[in-house]
Structure formats: C-alpha cells, structure tokens
Amino acid sequence: MIARTGNRFLAKRQKMVDELLVPLGIKDKRTLKVMGQTPRHMFLDSALHDRAYEDYAAPLGDGQTASKPSTVALMTQTAELKGNETVLEVGTGSGYQTAILSQLAERVYTIERINSFSNRARKTFNELGLNNVVCLVGDGSTGAKSYAPFDVILVTAGAPQIPVPLAKQLKEGGRMIVPVGNGAEQELLLVVRAGDRFTVKKKEGCSFVPLIGKHGWKTKPSKYS
Ligand code: SAM
C-alpha cells in the first residue's frame, strides 16, 4: 500500500481512470483502484508532472519512455494478479509499472539495464513505502535466474521473439506478457506455461522501445533509429 499519495493531481488521476481506462475496457477493479491511487507524476521529471495522467509515453531521457497509462493498465489486467504472486518485470524505466504491480502482488523483482533509471525508481519506491520491490541492474532478457521461478513475468520493452530463458523461469501455470515484433511495432503476447509446453495468445498491437540484450535486439532495430 502506498504511504504518501497526497491529494495533488487526485482529480486528474480519477479522470484518467473514469474517462480513459474504463472506456478502454479495463474492468479489473484492483487495477483501477491502484491506478487511481498511485502518483504517476512522482515517477517523471517535474516538467512533465502536469501531463502525468494523460495517455502518452512520457520521455525518461536516453531515448527511453515510461509506458502510457493505458498500456500499464492493460498489461496489469492481463497479469490477473491475486496478491500472492512473485513477479519479474523486465524494464524498470520510470518505475511506475513496478509500483502498480507491487501493490497487487506479494513481491516484485524489477530489472533495468540503465543504472540511473534503476536508482531513481528505487528512490521513489522508498519515498512511497513500497518495500516489496527488489531493484536489479543488468540484461533482463536473460531473466533473473537466482530469484526464479516467477508466477508472472512482464516485459516492458519490445523483443524480436519470445525470450526463451524468460519463459523457462515461469512457474507451472505461470504467465508472461511480452511485446514481440519488428522495430517500433509489436504484438502483446500472453505466454502461459503448462509443464514443458507454452501456449501463446495474441492480445493487441502495441509500441514499446526495444529490449536490448542477449535474447532481445543485439543493437537498436533500424526502424527505431
Ligand atoms: N515499465 C516502464 C515504465 O512504466 O516506465 C517502461 C519502461 S520503457 C518502455 C522500457 C525500459 O526497458 C527502458 O527503461 C529500457 O532501458 C529497458 N530495457 C531495454 N532492454 C532491457 C534489458 N535487456 N534489460 C533490462 N531493461 C531493459
């Protein structure tokens, strides 16, 4: 539970829930509740605070962006969290998606390749009293083997194909949500583990910055530069 939300931007947050997320088809009450309570502006530069509850991918620097609220809501709803799960998030970015997950699951491991993003997000988690988040720095395309297996893995950067090591770090019945595609456009996939088999369902089109790493893009895809 968030320690210090304050009333700043309360009306804008509620408007985001009522006029953006609900009409978009987000029905999961827990997702809507935490998104109505979580101060997204605190995860962004102060110059972006006024627009923090608009549906756009806010710049983080270094060519990276925070996922837009509708994408965060869709990915969170797809994860179907009940509260007792161990989650791995690949791509901490601003830390906003992590903060949402942390209020809906038991523990969240979040891994980011850019050290300064991880440090900044960790600071915000501390300010908000989100103490069930473990921040890791490194190539998340290989997962986080020493903390596996996971009930849910959320990949918040676009991969050229399903990263197999990540899928193997799912528990039996575990779910991975991962954007897969070429360059700047991907399809959001839901991968579910059943023994050694994995079923894959297409959810919807999306556009994420690239997953750069051993099981992602080796260099930035050309469509992206
Ligand atoms: N969940 C984030 C948020 O709400 O702000 C989204 C962040 S952004 C769309 C994707 C992030 O993935 C970027 O911060 C990028 O640096 C990171 N990233 C890209 N490849 C990565 C990798 N192999 N391992 C860890 N992080 C990676």
Side-chain angles (χ1 to χ4, degrees), residues 60 64-67 72 89-97 111-114 117 138-141 156-157 208-213:
L60 296 176
Q64 306 301 318
T65 52
S67 307
V72 171
E89 179 197 28
V90 177
T92 312
S94 67
Y96 175 68
Q97 171 77 78
I111 183 161
E112 170 58 55
R113 62 187 275 274
I114 300 176
F117 288 3
D139 177 7
S141 74
T156 70
F208 282 84
V209 296
L211 179 77
I212 308 276

Side-chain angles (χ1 to χ4, degrees), residues 136-149:
L136 308 168
V137 175
D139 177 7
S141 74
T142 62
K145 214 171 173 183
S146 37
Y147 302 101

Side-chain angles (χ1 to χ4, degrees), residues 51-130:
R51 295 194 59 202
Y53 301 94
E54 292 175 22
D55 202 32
Y56 82 113
L60 296 176
D62 232 324
Q64 306 301 318
T65 52
S67 307
K68 51 186 184 176
S70 58
T71 303
V72 171
L74 175 69
M75 290 184 92
T76 307
Q77 174 167 272
T78 305
E80 292 182 12
L81 296 167
K82 302 286 179 266
N84 58 352
E85 297 86 353
T86 301
V87 177
L88 173 68
E89 179 197 28
V90 177
T92 312
S94 67
Y96 175 68
Q97 171 77 78
T98 326
I100 300 299
L101 295 170
S102 78
Q103 294 169 82
L104 297 172
E106 188 163 308
R107 180 165 295 270
V108 180
Y109 295 89
T110 182
I111 183 161
E112 170 58 55
R113 62 187 275 274
I114 300 176
N115 199 19
S116 59
F117 288 3
S118 181
N119 287 337
R120 188 190 151 150
R122 185 187 290 117
K123 213 169 138 242
T124 315
F125 302 145
N126 288 339
E127 280 177 59
L128 291 171
L130 298 173

